[in-house]
Amino acid sequence: MASVEKALSLLKNLPRVNLGNLKPLPGRRGKKPDRRGQHGGKNRGFGDGANNLPRMGFEGGNVPFYRRMPVEPYYKDHAFRKQYPPLSLLQLQRLVDLGRIDTTEPIDLTTLCNTKVITVNPHLKHYGINLTDEGADIFEAKVNIEIQWTNEIAIAAIEKSGGTITTKFYDLQCIDAMVNPLLFFNRGIPIPRCKLPSMDVIEYYSDAKNRGYLADPELIRQARIELAQKMGYNLADPSQDPLYEMLTKRKDPRQIWFGLSPGWVVNLKHKTVLKPNDPELIEYYQS
Amino acid sequence: MFSRLATSGFRIYSSLRNTVVRLPAAGYQSQYSIEKLYPNSSLDFTSPNFKVHRQLTHTQTENDKFSGYIPVDELDVRYSRSSGPGGQNVNKVSTKVEVRFHVQSASWIPDFAKEILLQNEQTRITKDGFLVVRSEKTRKQMLNQADCLEKIRSMIWRASILPREPTEEEIAIMEKRKSRAKQEILREKRAHSLKKRMREGPGMNSL
């Protein structure tokens, strides 16, 4: 296009931006003050009427717009409340039975969103998926699942069937990436490193009873035995299991997808992965 | 599996369908990786802690005391439909749980506790000596099974409480309480006696 070429040639030939060659946009200067009315400016009154305007937002005495809106305590901090749209064990079992989920690979937020059975929208403060206990009695699938919220019965149902479950926290930017990875990769942004949980949920994710990703593995091991004794089932010996490697696979706390590290840029068009070279960037993404 | 992980320092991931890729021990590791947060913990969180397991089963065979562990394999668990209202759900779903086991042949209960258990829970024990526990408390089979086990566990705990001598502290506390109660009684007696004497009015010998 001619305009593009012109713009590029200008960029090439013109001197660099400098304090000496800046100019305001046409029409910005020379704006004369409004001389009308009681409070108008430019040389009128003693001391030119300094401080002659009332406060911003004043409307002559009636209750101004910014004070007309009532405040209700019930929605206090609503923007900070985390929501986890539910997915039941029944739905999960159905997906596995119908072959919509591959149980030979770990199950992730991305896997579950790809099935289109559940919609997770980070703009609505959805911080992931809540695995509910509906269908716990009939659940049989052996899976390695990673969700963001769950309860004791759901954990028991999964471990009873020989699987593993982990609760992992993702911040909203990561949720946005995970929910639609193709869209994210097309943006050309490096894979973000996942933030640590905020104060309201860090205890949840550090607790072995919730199989939190920040909990001590020794405590998780104990919690598994305790839950099995409480609910009345036997824990299968995992070392005999051919799927042992897959079942014990876990992400790093800063990692979003298996096999991809934070800082990498995935180029789907050319089927390449670009990794940072700069030592500062490498250090940042490793921390 | 655990020793292989510890000594070789490698972790095997299967990234593609049928190939096995050997990656160095740190695939991607940030400063908050679990290995750095808990350096003394084995990463293998799935395998039951066999040391603890052995301890539990060992104490049971010695018949010292009940450790709280119940081997689920040795229980006979049966499912059936629950009673009560609930429409189609209660008619079709097997949520009632019945757990039974033979008390005398249970190796996981100490012998002295078995005798007490047979006495305490006479109403739950069949002619053949099976202890039967049922639950249809909740709408979920899993929770009902947990309830049954909870009942069994608490029965056995109660049956395995050994009578023990009171400690020196406990004896001292009991003595103190007895003496205080005695003093209180005497105080009341004196007050009552005074009251009665006052009613009699002044006698020959008083001023």
Side-chain angles (χ1 to χ4, degrees):
Chain A
M1 268 198 290
S3 57
V4 171
E5 282 170 19
K6 182 176 180 183
L8 285 172
S9 75
L10 278 173
L11 266 177
K12 212 166 149 186
N13 299 320
L14 286 175
R16 277 194 150 179
V17 170
N18 196 315
L19 273 179
N21 49 22
L22 289 173
K23 200 165 117 173
L25 281 173
R28 284 307 330 147
R29 275 193 89 178
K31 267 199 156 178
K32 293 196 179 136
D34 186 355
R35 298 186 66 210
R36 294 208 226 121
Q38 182 187 356
H39 304 296
K42 185 76 169 158
N43 302 334
R44 205 202 288 136
F46 294 116
D48 287 333
N51 283 337
N52 59 358
L53 280 174
R55 66 178 183 280
M56 182 164 39
F58 183 71
E59 290 178 13
N62 54 288
V63 177
F65 172 78
Y66 71 92
R67 285 200 63 181
R68 280 182 171 272
M69 304 306 144
V71 170
E72 296 290 333
Y74 70 84
Y75 54 66
K76 189 175 157 67
D77 296 337
H78 70 280
F80 302 112
R81 287 184 205 155
K82 294 177 168 62
Q83 298 181 36
Y84 304 91
L87 181 82
S88 64
L89 284 168
L90 187 62
Q91 282 174 294
L92 188 61
Q93 181 67 53
R94 198 181 287 134
L95 289 169
V96 166
D97 288 341
L98 296 172
R100 287 171 71 172
I101 282 184
D102 183 13
T103 53
T104 60
E105 292 294 320
I107 297 174
D108 201 345
L109 175 62
T110 308
T111 324
L112 292 167
C113 289
N114 285 343
T115 62
K116 303 288 187 227
V117 138
I118 188 166
T119 318
V120 175
N121 186 354
H123 298 286
L124 298 177
K125 315 284 181 292
H126 293 172
Y127 275 79
I129 287 175
N130 168 20
L131 193 64
T132 57
D133 52 31
E134 168 125 30
D137 292 339
I138 54 149
F139 191 80
E140 293 179 328
K142 190 158 134 184
V143 292
N144 173 0
I145 187 163
E146 183 200 79
I147 31 75
Q148 283 65 55
W149 200 270
T150 185
N151 59 28
E152 192 183 47
I153 303 168
I155 295 172
I158 296 210
E159 291 184 345
K160 186 176 178 178
S161 316
T164 48
I165 179 164
T166 313
T167 44
K168 188 172 189 312
F169 173 84
Y170 294 106
D171 59 284
L172 287 179
Q173 190 195 14
C174 297
I175 299 273
D176 196 35
M178 293 186 84
V179 156
N180 198 339
L182 292 176
L183 210 66
F184 174 77
F185 292 142
N186 284 340
R187 284 184 207 147
I189 304 168
I191 295 170
R193 56 164 208 194
C194 185
K195 291 187 179 137
L196 292 177
S198 48
M199 295 307 286
D200 52 346
V201 288
I202 192 157
E203 267 188 55
Y204 181 86
Y205 292 106
S206 311
D207 198 355
K209 287 203 173 63
N210 304 323
R211 308 294 184 267
Y213 73 120
L214 295 174
D216 190 355
E218 288 286 344
L219 296 178
I220 292 178
R221 198 189 291 180
Q222 272 305 110
R224 277 169 61 95
I225 299 171
E226 276 170 20
L227 191 61
Q229 274 292 293
K230 178 176 177 180
M231 291 298 195
Y233 58 86
N234 268 332
L235 276 176
D237 190 10
S239 53
Q240 309 304 323
D241 200 341
L243 289 171
Y244 171 78
E245 306 285 356
M246 188 279 287
L247 290 172
T248 52
K249 208 166 162 179
R250 276 172 118 199
K251 292 177 193 165
D252 184 88
R254 290 275 201 208
Q255 198 178 14
I256 298 178
W257 292 294
F258 284 115
L260 292 172
S261 296
W264 293 1
V265 179
V266 174
N267 185 342
L268 289 172
K269 188 176 176 191
H270 300 125
K271 299 203 174 127
T272 55
V273 171
L274 305 163
K275 303 180 190 179
N277 275 331
D278 191 50
E280 246 187 79
L281 277 177
I282 293 170
E283 201 198 312
Y284 170 75
Y285 285 115
Q286 286 283 322
S287 62
Chain B
M1 200 42 95
F2 165 52
S3 58
R4 177 145 67 89
L5 283 169
T7 55
S8 70
F10 283 92
R11 213 183 291 156
I12 304 164
Y13 291 110
S14 58
S15 55
L16 303 169
R17 279 288 152 78
N18 292 314
T19 61
V20 171
V21 176
R22 269 188 169 254
L23 292 173
Y28 164 71
Q29 277 204 351
S30 64
Q31 71 177 90
Y32 297 108
S33 71
I34 296 296
E35 283 143 333
K36 290 182 188 143
L37 289 176
Y38 306 105
N40 298 324
S41 299
S42 143
L43 290 174
D44 191 6
F45 60 89
T46 56
S47 66
N49 196 339
F50 290 116
K51 254 194 272 179
V52 173
H53 212 90
R54 242 178 271 127
Q55 265 173 19
L56 293 170
T57 48
H58 195 60
T59 48
Q60 266 133 48
T61 51
E62 278 185 348
N63 286 322
D64 257 319
K65 53 179 179 174
F66 179 56
S67 62
Y69 176 79
I70 299 177
V72 180
D73 286 336
E74 292 176 33
L75 299 174
D76 179 15
V77 185
R78 293 177 199 178
Y79 306 116
S80 59
R81 262 162 245 127
S82 300
S83 62
Q88 195 178 54
N89 197 50
V90 82
N91 291 344
K92 295 183 137 191
V93 180
S94 309
T95 48
K96 183 171 176 177
V97 176
E98 186 189 274
V99 177
R100 54 171 72 210
F101 64 94
H102 193 246
V103 180
Q104 287 295 352
S105 54
S107 56
W108 41 282
I109 310 175
D111 290 328
F112 72 91
K114 284 180 197 170
E115 314 305 327
I116 302 169
L117 191 67
L118 288 167
Q119 242 184 341
N120 284 351
E121 315 294 337
Q122 270 171 14
T123 49
R124 288 191 205 264
I125 295 182
T126 66
K127 251 192 296 185
D128 304 324
F130 282 84
L131 179 69
V132 183
V133 175
R134 290 184 196 96
S135 175
E136 45 176 355
K137 196 168 161 190
T138 71
R139 298 182 68 204
K140 282 202 156 47
Q141 189 194 82
M142 283 185 78
L143 290 174
N144 288 340
Q145 192 165 338
D147 185 38
C148 284
L149 284 186
E150 175 64 37
K151 285 180 184 168
I152 292 172
R153 209 171 267 125
S154 49
M155 274 180 227
I156 300 172
W157 277 123
R158 266 181 274 130
S160 59
I161 294 170
L162 289 164
R164 63 175 175 89
E165 295 288 317
T167 62
E168 277 179 30
E169 271 177 24
E170 283 171 1
I171 293 169
I173 291 166
M174 286 199 299
E175 295 284 334
K176 194 172 170 186
R177 284 182 192 162
K178 275 187 205 162
S179 71
R180 270 215 223 129
K182 190 73 187 173
Q183 278 164 28
E184 186 64 35
I185 290 165
L186 290 173
R187 220 177 292 141
E188 277 183 35
K189 282 191 95 162
R190 282 195 286 269
H192 188 68
S193 171
L194 185 68
K195 187 164 78 176
K196 294 296 228 178
R197 277 190 274 126
M198 294 307 235
R199 285 180 190 166
E200 281 170 16
M204 295 278 277
N205 295 327
S206 62
L207 294 159

